[in-house]
């Protein structure tokens, strides 16, 4: 008799466990994760992504596998290892510069940069001689740096556009000492990052 009661109890516990596991597994959805490690600023490709199944009530702001087409082509804001879940917070402009790189900002007026300038564009940053200087004098010498646009901010009602540029740390230091108002951006072919 005791073995019979133990057997019935074991059947009830197993059935309850099966129902609980089925409920947990039933509320799953396919979400995006990284198939390989990515570096800050890297543009995501389809090969960087994979689908994983997880519970829908996880509380995380994960990206559904059906949103893969909207994720491809976007930069990642942080370096992440393979297997990391793709959330909205990891997409976007790089939050930190790469090792040996720096991010500098410059205020520009219309005519000092191409009007269709966009993040990711490689540019040459040129200093132009100030008024009253000649190109032959030491003060009128033109300097140039290669940079990548990381962001563009304009405020309504202001004529100045702030452009964030990523360039080498040494170039950023020299660039920061350039006279305000004497800088221009020229979009150039890629490379030079």
């Amino acid at each position: 008799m005791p073995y019979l009661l133990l057997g019935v109890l074991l059947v009830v516990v197993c059935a309850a466990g099966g129902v609980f596991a089925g409920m947990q597994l039933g509320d799953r959805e396919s979400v995006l994760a990284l198939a390989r490690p990515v570096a800050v600023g890297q543009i995501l490709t389809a090969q960087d992504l994979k689908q994983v199944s997880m519970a829908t009530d996880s509380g995380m702001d994960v990206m559904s596998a059906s949103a893969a087409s909207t994720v491809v082509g976007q930069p990642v804001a942080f370096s992440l290892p393979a297997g990391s879940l793709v959330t909205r917070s990891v997409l976007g402009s790089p939050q930190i510069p790469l090792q040996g790189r720096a991010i500098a900002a410059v205020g520009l007026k219309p005519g000092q940069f191409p009007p269709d300038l966009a993040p990711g564009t490689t540019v040459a940053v040129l200093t132009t001689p100030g008024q009253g200087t000649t190109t032959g004098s030491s003060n009128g010498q033109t300097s140039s740096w290669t940079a990548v646009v990381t962001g563009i901010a304009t405020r309504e009602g202001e004529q100045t556009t702030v452009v964030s540029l990523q360039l080498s740390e040494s170039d950023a230091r020299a660039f920061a000492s350039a006279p305000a108002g004497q800088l221009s951006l020229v979009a150039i072919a890629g490379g030079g990052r």
Side-chain angles (χ1 to χ4, degrees), residues 32-161:
L32 294 175
L34 295 175
R36 54 187 174 193
V38 294
V40 62
Q42 180 177 330
I43 304 298
L44 290 175
T45 64
Q47 294 78 23
D48 295 324
L49 303 173
K50 67 179 181 179
Q51 294 181 21
V52 296
S53 180
M54 71 177 289
T56 57
D57 63 346
S58 65
M60 295 181 65
D61 189 22
V62 293
M63 303 289 290
S64 171
S66 62
S69 62
T70 63
V71 173
V72 171
Q74 292 206 32
V76 290
F78 309 97
S79 293
L80 297 167
S84 298
L85 294 176
V86 178
T87 63
R88 286 171 182 77
S89 63
V90 303
L91 299 175
S93 299
Q95 300 299 310
I96 56 173
L98 301 170
Q99 185 68 23
R101 308 286 286 171
I103 296 179
V106 60
L108 300 170
K109 295 187 187 236
Q112 291 180 297
F113 63 98
D116 57 348
L117 193 65
T121 304
T122 301
V123 295
V125 183
L126 306 170
T127 59
T128 55
Q131 292 181 347
T133 61
T134 61
T135 55
S137 70
S138 61
N139 290 342
Q141 190 171 4
T142 301
S143 298
S144 173
W145 304 277
T146 301
V148 176
V149 176
T150 59
I152 300 171
T154 57
R155 289 200 175 133
E156 201 171 312
E158 291 186 22
Q159 292 184 354
T160 302
T161 299

Side-chain angles (χ1 to χ4, degrees), residues 145-187:
W145 304 277
T146 301
V148 176
V149 176
T150 59
I152 300 171
T154 57
R155 289 200 175 133
E156 201 171 312
E158 291 186 22
Q159 292 184 354
T160 302
T161 299
V162 178
V163 179
S164 298
L165 302 169
Q166 185 178 110
L167 58 167
S168 73
E169 192 173 337
S170 60
D171 285 351
R173 291 176 193 275
F175 165 76
S177 66
Q182 294 183 11
L183 296 172
S184 294
L185 303 183
V186 177

Side-chain angles (χ1 to χ4, degrees), residues 15-29 54-57:
V19 169
F20 179 75
M23 287 174 33
Q24 292 297 321
L25 292 175
D27 291 339
R28 300 181 77 74
E29 70 175 300
M54 71 177 289
T56 57
D57 63 346

